[in-house]
């Protein structure tokens, strides 16, 4: 028996077989967005001219005892034509039902840009507020955020509240387009 010869070149690929294409499978189910709630304002709120807190129109979510939630409000506000951009600040807060766990943070513009641009504070109890002592720009829209997590021990609403730092005719307005999202986690 002689030595094994070298492997020859591969042959050309043969033609694709002729057959029937199967039917297209059914479209899969659309993913659920249950458990996510969005709110937004179509109109400006009433001008808040006192230090009393007011619930921002339409800016609340219903929550149920024992469930886990996270939420965020994007708040567009405007302080009226005050004499100086450092004269009057505003307050943001929350009201909510009794809760096993609650923690929220507020991020608000304050003072001159690049100097003391943002002010942050925490909310740990219903009715609590975070207050700036100035506004960055008078009669101009500014954006603040309120982020939080809650596990309510009673049914009720998580609501965004606002007011002026000082009583003033200039006042604070929550502008149309302010919005929020609540996500039920369990």
């Amino acid at each position: 028996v002689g030595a094994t010869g070298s492997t020859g070149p591969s042959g050309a690929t043969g033609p694709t077989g002729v057959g029937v294409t199967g039917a297209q499978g059914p479209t899969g189910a659309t993913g659920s967005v249950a458990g996510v709630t969005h709110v937004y304002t179509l109109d400006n709120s009433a001008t808040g001219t006192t230090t009393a807190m007011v619930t921002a129109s339409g800016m609340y979510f219903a929550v149920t005892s024992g469930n886990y939630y996270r939420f965020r409000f994007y708040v567009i506000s405007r302080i009226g034509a005050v004499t100086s951009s450092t004269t009057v600040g505003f307050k943001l807060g929350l009201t909510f039902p009794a809760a096993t766990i609650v923690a929220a943070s507020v991020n608000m513009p304050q003072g001159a840009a690049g100097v003391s641009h943002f002010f942050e504070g925490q909310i740990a109890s219903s009715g609590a507020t975070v207050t700036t002592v100035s506004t960055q720009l008078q009669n101009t829209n500014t954006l603040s955020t309120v982020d939080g997590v809650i596990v309510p021990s009673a049914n009720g609403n998580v609501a965004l509240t606002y007011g002026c730092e000082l009583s003033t005719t200039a006042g604070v307005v929550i502008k149309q387009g302010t919005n929020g999202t609540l996500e039920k986690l369990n």
Side-chain angles (χ1 to χ4, degrees):
V1 173
T4 303
S6 60
T7 304
S10 297
T13 302
T16 301
V18 177
V20 177
T21 300
Q24 182 174 349
T27 301
T30 301
S32 172
V33 293
V36 177
T37 304
H38 301 282
V39 294
Y40 57 93
T41 58
L42 296 174
D43 298 307
N44 295 341
S45 70
T47 302
T49 57
T50 69
T51 59
M53 297 301 285
V54 178
T55 299
S57 180
M59 291 293 100
Y60 63 89
F61 301 108
V63 293
T64 305
S65 176
N67 289 311
Y68 291 71
Y69 299 93
R70 68 176 161 207
F71 57 88
R72 174 173 258 199
F73 291 102
Y74 291 94
V75 184
I76 304 167
S77 60
R78 182 182 285 216
I79 301 278
V82 293
T83 58
S84 166
S85 64
T86 60
T87 302
V88 178
F90 68 106
K91 303 188 292 186
L92 289 175
L94 295 171
T95 58
F96 45 83
T100 305
I101 300 289
V102 66
S105 63
V106 180
N107 187 332
M108 305 163 68
Q110 167 180 286
V115 178
S116 57
H117 186 64
F118 281 100
F119 182 78
E120 295 179 315
Q122 300 293 311
I123 293 178
S125 60
S126 183
T129 63
V130 174
T131 307
T132 65
V133 295
S134 63
T135 186
Q136 184 183 18
L137 301 167
Q138 62 192 22
N139 210 22
T140 301
N141 295 339
T142 59
L143 179 66
S144 301
T145 56
V146 180
D147 292 289
V149 174
I150 186 169
V151 181
S153 56
N155 297 344
N157 291 326
V158 174
L160 177 71
T161 60
Y162 71 101
C164 280
E165 175 230 354
L166 303 170
S167 291
T168 174
T169 56
V172 61
V173 174
I174 302 300
K175 301 293 286 181
Q176 71 182 54
T178 292
N179 65 84
T181 301
L182 175 80
E183 184 177 1
K184 183 179 172 209
L185 301 174
N186 61 334

